[in-house]
Amino acid sequence: MQYTWILVVKLIKQHQRYQSMTDFIYEPYKKIHVHDLIKMSLDDLVSMISTLESANAYWAEGVLFVSFSISESDELGKKEIEGETYLDRVVFCKYDRYTKTAKSSTNVEINVINVQTSHLYRDLVSWLKKQSVWNE
């Protein structure tokens, strides 16, 4: 009986060792550098996105958009760790309401992902609406 009890205690301790949780730390970007902002018509945006390997657009706060990162490098990796990232460009159009897909006048259709709940994307759209290109 004592041997069984010792074995049970060892199994419990071993199980507890594998049950430890990983610490997760939320660290939003401190800075995002955007090199180019491109406003397009819905037709042009849908047409462009449909030619990409991943044909998805994002929607938040009345804007349909896609962003393109700069090719990764060791230096950019270091910047990421420091809380900075670089976007080559953000391409967008005004799109009042969220819909699961967006369709051009030529019936080309793309998927739309609702990122309204993301603080990062809401901040991006808020910043975008303050840029001169927004009113062009």
mmCIF file of all heavy atoms in Angstrom, residues 39-60:
data_model
loop_
_atom_site.group_PDB
_atom_site.id
_atom_site.type_symbol
_atom_site.label_atom_id
_atom_site.label_comp_id
_atom_site.label_asym_id
_atom_site.label_seq_id
_atom_site.Cartn_x
_atom_site.Cartn_y
_atom_site.Cartn_z
ATOM 1 N N LYS A 39 -4.928 55.504 -52.008
ATOM 2 C CA LYS A 39 -6.388 55.463 -52.017
ATOM 3 C C LYS A 39 -6.829 55.005 -53.409
ATOM 4 O O LYS A 39 -6.338 55.513 -54.416
ATOM 5 C CB LYS A 39 -6.961 56.847 -51.711
ATOM 6 C CG LYS A 39 -8.466 56.872 -51.612
ATOM 7 C CD LYS A 39 -8.927 58.282 -51.243
ATOM 8 C CE LYS A 39 -10.421 58.340 -51.089
ATOM 9 N NZ LYS A 39 -10.848 59.718 -50.765
ATOM 10 N N MET A 40 -7.739 54.044 -53.450
ATOM 11 C CA MET A 40 -8.229 53.512 -54.724
ATOM 12 C C MET A 40 -9.747 53.486 -54.726
ATOM 13 O O MET A 40 -10.382 53.592 -53.674
ATOM 14 C CB MET A 40 -7.738 52.068 -54.926
ATOM 15 C CG MET A 40 -6.292 51.899 -55.168
ATOM 16 S SD MET A 40 -5.942 50.157 -55.540
ATOM 17 C CE MET A 40 -4.289 50.302 -56.150
ATOM 18 N N SER A 41 -10.294 53.275 -55.885
ATOM 19 C CA SER A 41 -11.720 53.001 -55.989
ATOM 20 C C SER A 41 -11.942 51.553 -55.526
ATOM 21 O O SER A 41 -10.997 50.744 -55.497
ATOM 22 C CB SER A 41 -12.191 53.147 -57.436
ATOM 23 O OG SER A 41 -11.634 52.113 -58.235
ATOM 24 N N LEU A 42 -13.159 51.224 -55.176
ATOM 25 C CA LEU A 42 -13.486 49.852 -54.772
ATOM 26 C C LEU A 42 -13.121 48.883 -55.891
ATOM 27 O O LEU A 42 -12.526 47.836 -55.644
ATOM 28 C CB LEU A 42 -14.965 49.734 -54.403
ATOM 29 C CG LEU A 42 -15.429 48.319 -54.041
ATOM 30 C CD1 LEU A 42 -14.701 47.801 -52.811
ATOM 31 C CD2 LEU A 42 -16.935 48.293 -53.834
ATOM 32 N N ASP A 43 -13.469 49.216 -57.128
ATOM 33 C CA ASP A 43 -13.160 48.334 -58.258
ATOM 34 C C ASP A 43 -11.665 48.051 -58.361
ATOM 35 O O ASP A 43 -11.253 46.905 -58.535
ATOM 36 C CB ASP A 43 -13.660 48.941 -59.573
ATOM 37 C CG ASP A 43 -15.128 48.674 -59.832
ATOM 38 O OD1 ASP A 43 -15.764 47.959 -59.029
ATOM 39 O OD2 ASP A 43 -15.639 49.171 -60.846
ATOM 40 N N ASP A 44 -10.859 49.102 -58.264
ATOM 41 C CA ASP A 44 -9.411 48.922 -58.381
ATOM 42 C C ASP A 44 -8.842 48.120 -57.212
ATOM 43 O O ASP A 44 -7.977 47.262 -57.393
ATOM 44 C CB ASP A 44 -8.704 50.274 -58.483
ATOM 45 C CG ASP A 44 -8.936 50.955 -59.817
ATOM 46 O OD1 ASP A 44 -9.363 50.274 -60.777
ATOM 47 O OD2 ASP A 44 -8.698 52.175 -59.903
ATOM 48 N N LEU A 45 -9.334 48.393 -56.013
ATOM 49 C CA LEU A 45 -8.858 47.670 -54.832
ATOM 50 C C LEU A 45 -9.204 46.191 -54.930
ATOM 51 O O LEU A 45 -8.356 45.324 -54.716
ATOM 52 C CB LEU A 45 -9.439 48.288 -53.558
ATOM 53 C CG LEU A 45 -8.953 47.677 -52.236
ATOM 54 C CD1 LEU A 45 -7.468 47.936 -52.031
ATOM 55 C CD2 LEU A 45 -9.746 48.215 -51.078
ATOM 56 N N VAL A 46 -10.440 45.888 -55.273
ATOM 57 C CA VAL A 46 -10.868 44.491 -55.406
ATOM 58 C C VAL A 46 -10.067 43.794 -56.498
ATOM 59 O O VAL A 46 -9.603 42.666 -56.328
ATOM 60 C CB VAL A 46 -12.388 44.396 -55.683
ATOM 61 C CG1 VAL A 46 -12.788 42.988 -56.096
ATOM 62 C CG2 VAL A 46 -13.176 44.837 -54.454
ATOM 63 N N SER A 47 -9.885 44.467 -57.612
ATOM 64 C CA SER A 47 -9.118 43.893 -58.714
ATOM 65 C C SER A 47 -7.679 43.595 -58.295
ATOM 66 O O SER A 47 -7.140 42.520 -58.577
ATOM 67 C CB SER A 47 -9.141 44.859 -59.892
ATOM 68 O OG SER A 47 -8.514 44.303 -60.998
ATOM 69 N N MET A 48 -7.052 44.516 -57.593
ATOM 70 C CA MET A 48 -5.684 44.325 -57.135
ATOM 71 C C MET A 48 -5.588 43.166 -56.147
ATOM 72 O O MET A 48 -4.734 42.291 -56.272
ATOM 73 C CB MET A 48 -5.145 45.595 -56.481
ATOM 74 C CG MET A 48 -3.702 45.464 -56.029
ATOM 75 S SD MET A 48 -3.223 46.634 -54.762
ATOM 76 C CE MET A 48 -4.136 46.064 -53.364
ATOM 77 N N ILE A 49 -6.472 43.157 -55.155
ATOM 78 C CA ILE A 49 -6.420 42.130 -54.112
ATOM 79 C C ILE A 49 -6.699 40.751 -54.692
ATOM 80 O O ILE A 49 -6.101 39.760 -54.278
ATOM 81 C CB ILE A 49 -7.392 42.468 -52.963
ATOM 82 C CG1 ILE A 49 -6.884 43.704 -52.223
ATOM 83 C CG2 ILE A 49 -7.526 41.293 -51.993
ATOM 84 C CD1 ILE A 49 -7.841 44.251 -51.199
ATOM 85 N N SER A 50 -7.576 40.673 -55.675
ATOM 86 C CA SER A 50 -7.922 39.371 -56.257
ATOM 87 C C SER A 50 -6.737 38.723 -56.966
ATOM 88 O O SER A 50 -6.728 37.508 -57.173
ATOM 89 C CB SER A 50 -9.099 39.514 -57.215
ATOM 90 O OG SER A 50 -8.709 40.212 -58.381
ATOM 91 N N THR A 51 -5.730 39.494 -57.336
ATOM 92 C CA THR A 51 -4.553 38.932 -58.011
ATOM 93 C C THR A 51 -3.514 38.427 -57.016
ATOM 94 O O THR A 51 -2.549 37.770 -57.418
ATOM 95 C CB THR A 51 -3.875 39.976 -58.926
ATOM 96 O OG1 THR A 51 -3.378 41.045 -58.127
ATOM 97 C CG2 THR A 51 -4.846 40.505 -59.976
ATOM 98 N N LEU A 52 -3.696 38.718 -55.746
ATOM 99 C CA LEU A 52 -2.730 38.307 -54.731
ATOM 100 C C LEU A 52 -2.987 36.868 -54.310
ATOM 101 O O LEU A 52 -4.103 36.358 -54.418
ATOM 102 C CB LEU A 52 -2.813 39.221 -53.507
ATOM 103 C CG LEU A 52 -2.567 40.706 -53.762
ATOM 104 C CD1 LEU A 52 -2.830 41.500 -52.492
ATOM 105 C CD2 LEU A 52 -1.162 40.935 -54.273
ATOM 106 N N GLU A 53 -1.959 36.242 -53.782
ATOM 107 C CA GLU A 53 -2.077 34.861 -53.327
ATOM 108 C C GLU A 53 -3.138 34.727 -52.233
ATOM 109 O O GLU A 53 -3.930 33.810 -52.225
ATOM 110 C CB GLU A 53 -0.716 34.399 -52.795
ATOM 111 C CG GLU A 53 -0.575 32.918 -52.710
ATOM 112 C CD GLU A 53 0.839 32.525 -52.366
ATOM 113 O OE1 GLU A 53 1.750 32.866 -53.147
ATOM 114 O OE2 GLU A 53 1.023 31.892 -51.319
ATOM 115 N N SER A 54 -3.142 35.643 -51.310
ATOM 116 C CA SER A 54 -4.140 35.667 -50.237
ATOM 117 C C SER A 54 -5.111 36.802 -50.546
ATOM 118 O O SER A 54 -4.827 37.957 -50.276
ATOM 119 C CB SER A 54 -3.450 35.906 -48.898
ATOM 120 O OG SER A 54 -4.403 36.132 -47.892
ATOM 121 N N ALA A 55 -6.228 36.467 -51.131
ATOM 122 C CA ALA A 55 -7.167 37.479 -51.617
ATOM 123 C C ALA A 55 -8.143 37.920 -50.527
ATOM 124 O O ALA A 55 -9.349 37.730 -50.644
ATOM 125 C CB ALA A 55 -7.907 36.954 -52.838
ATOM 126 N N ASN A 56 -7.636 38.498 -49.466
ATOM 127 C CA ASN A 56 -8.458 39.003 -48.377
ATOM 128 C C ASN A 56 -8.182 40.480 -48.160
ATOM 129 O O ASN A 56 -7.053 40.934 -48.275
ATOM 130 C CB ASN A 56 -8.154 38.280 -47.058
ATOM 131 C CG ASN A 56 -8.554 36.832 -47.086
ATOM 132 O OD1 ASN A 56 -9.600 36.477 -47.604
ATOM 133 N ND2 ASN A 56 -7.712 35.988 -46.535
ATOM 134 N N ALA A 57 -9.241 41.194 -47.840
ATOM 135 C CA ALA A 57 -9.111 42.591 -47.422
ATOM 136 C C ALA A 57 -9.577 42.667 -45.978
ATOM 137 O O ALA A 57 -10.264 41.776 -45.481
ATOM 138 C CB ALA A 57 -9.958 43.490 -48.309
ATOM 139 N N TYR A 58 -9.205 43.744 -45.316
ATOM 140 C CA TYR A 58 -9.628 43.976 -43.938
ATOM 141 C C TYR A 58 -10.594 45.150 -43.914
ATOM 142 O O TYR A 58 -10.496 46.060 -44.738
ATOM 143 C CB TYR A 58 -8.421 44.286 -43.047
ATOM 144 C CG TYR A 58 -7.448 43.140 -42.975
ATOM 145 C CD1 TYR A 58 -6.240 43.191 -43.653
ATOM 146 C CD2 TYR A 58 -7.740 42.005 -42.236
ATOM 147 C CE1 TYR A 58 -5.341 42.142 -43.591
ATOM 148 C CE2 TYR A 58 -6.852 40.951 -42.172
ATOM 149 C CZ TYR A 58 -5.658 41.023 -42.856
ATOM 150 O OH TYR A 58 -4.776 39.978 -42.792
ATOM 151 N N TRP A 59 -11.501 45.119 -42.942
ATOM 152 C CA TRP A 59 -12.464 46.213 -42.790
ATOM 153 C C TRP A 59 -12.494 46.648 -41.327
ATOM 154 O O TRP A 59 -12.548 45.828 -40.402
ATOM 155 C CB TRP A 59 -13.869 45.792 -43.207
ATOM 156 C CG TRP A 59 -14.845 46.920 -43.065
ATOM 157 C CD1 TRP A 59 -15.179 47.831 -44.013
ATOM 158 C CD2 TRP A 59 -15.607 47.271 -41.900
ATOM 159 N NE1 TRP A 59 -16.079 48.734 -43.509
ATOM 160 C CE2 TRP A 59 -16.366 48.412 -42.217
ATOM 161 C CE3 TRP A 59 -15.704 46.737 -40.617
ATOM 162 C CZ2 TRP A 59 -17.216 49.017 -41.298
ATOM 163 C CZ3 TRP A 59 -16.548 47.342 -39.700
ATOM 164 C CH2 TRP A 59 -17.301 48.471 -40.051
ATOM 165 N N ALA A 60 -12.466 47.977 -41.130
ATOM 166 C CA ALA A 60 -12.666 48.572 -39.805
ATOM 167 C C ALA A 60 -13.076 50.020 -39.996
ATOM 168 O O ALA A 60 -12.584 50.702 -40.903
ATOM 169 C CB ALA A 60 -11.392 48.502 -38.959
#
